[in-house]
Amino acid sequence: MSEGSAAAMISPVKAVIVPGNGGGNVESCIWYSWTKKRLDKIPNFKCVLRNMPDPFTARESVWLPFMESELQCDNKTILIGHSSGAAAAMRFAETHQVFAIILVAAYTSDLGDENERESGYFSRPWQWEKIKSNCHHIIQFGSTDDPFLPWHEQQTVADNLGAELHKYTDRGHFQNTEFNDLLDTARKLIPTPV
């Protein structure tokens, strides 16, 4: 959905950070909590960050219903997905309208990994056109030196979604404790009160 009259009528009211798999308390993981604290300072806006069920395998059959019912992702949500959270965000956007998806370290296949295969995200072709029609904005962060994801996987996402691509050569799998570029990008999507 390109920017037009429909986009002008809808403004985001929240962001939801969908973490990568691996478990642990997401409040203490990499840039997630750092980003949430800063987005929560924006008037009339909130950021949701919760531990996900099934955190190690990140099954689509568990995560997508959780994103809908518990995290209440909808057409006023900026969905920020990291790694397997990016896969979840893309699959969610195939069947749900969201204001925006911000994909960090996104990929398109199970990478030959059994756990990734079990997640279910890679069991069928991606519905790129549906994702595009259900999002006002698609932004992607990727790095050519990601130790887990070959660049061609990340580039395939960008090409098929026409994403606004932020390409780096030195960010690895985006596991830093701060992520200023993502924060600035998210802030630009949020209207400032008059």
Side-chain angles (χ1 to χ4, degrees):
M1 199 179 296
S2 61
E3 297 178 59
S5 59
M9 290 184 228
I10 297 173
S11 294
V13 297
K14 71 177 176 183
V16 172
I17 298 173
V18 183
N21 65 4
N25 180 8
V26 294
E27 287 282 346
S28 61
C29 287
I30 57 176
W31 48 264
Y32 304 150
S33 180
W34 181 90
T35 302
K36 176 186 175 4
K37 288 174 186 169
R38 281 148 185 82
L39 290 177
D40 278 342
K41 292 179 181 177
I42 298 170
N44 303 313
F45 192 81
K46 68 177 181 174
C47 184
V48 177
L49 173 62
R50 300 243 320 258
N51 287 327
M52 299 295 284
D54 187 34
F56 293 102
T57 307
R59 286 177 183 85
E60 177 184 8
S61 61
V62 176
W63 278 30
L64 268 55
F66 186 81
M67 290 165 65
E68 182 175 25
S69 64
E70 298 296 319
L71 303 180
Q72 300 183 341
C73 299
D74 60 19
N75 66 343
K76 293 186 175 186
T77 301
I78 298 170
L79 196 50
I80 303 170
H82 176 232
S83 194
S84 49
M90 291 189 295
R91 286 297 185 197
F92 189 85
E94 287 179 342
T95 56
H96 299 79
Q97 289 193 359
V98 293
F99 183 79
I101 55 175
I102 299 178
L103 307 171
V104 182
Y107 52 112
T108 60
S109 77
D110 64 25
L111 305 165
D113 181 88
E114 187 176 329
N115 192 61
E116 294 288 346
R117 194 170 357 310
E118 283 184 42
S119 72
Y121 298 114
F122 312 103
S123 63
R124 61 201 183 280
W126 291 94
Q127 299 179 52
W128 304 115
E129 294 306 315
K130 288 187 178 181
I131 297 170
K132 289 194 287 189
S133 69
N134 281 332
C135 300
H136 294 292
H137 305 275
I138 301 173
I139 300 156
Q140 181 182 351
F141 291 88
S143 190
T144 58
D145 69 340
D146 191 312
F148 307 115
L149 308 177
W151 178 253
H152 70 85
E153 292 255 348
Q154 299 174 76
Q155 187 68 56
T156 296
V157 173
D159 291 346
N160 282 287
L161 292 179
E164 175 190 312
L165 179 61
H166 298 255
K167 181 178 179 180
Y168 302 91
T169 59
D170 59 355
R171 299 293 178 93
H173 200 57
F174 296 90
Q175 295 173 305
N176 295 337
T177 54
E178 298 179 6
F179 198 165
N180 284 297
D181 294 345
L182 180 141
L183 182 63
D184 292 343
T185 298
R187 282 180 172 151
K188 288 176 187 170
L189 296 173
I190 303 164
T192 51
V194 179

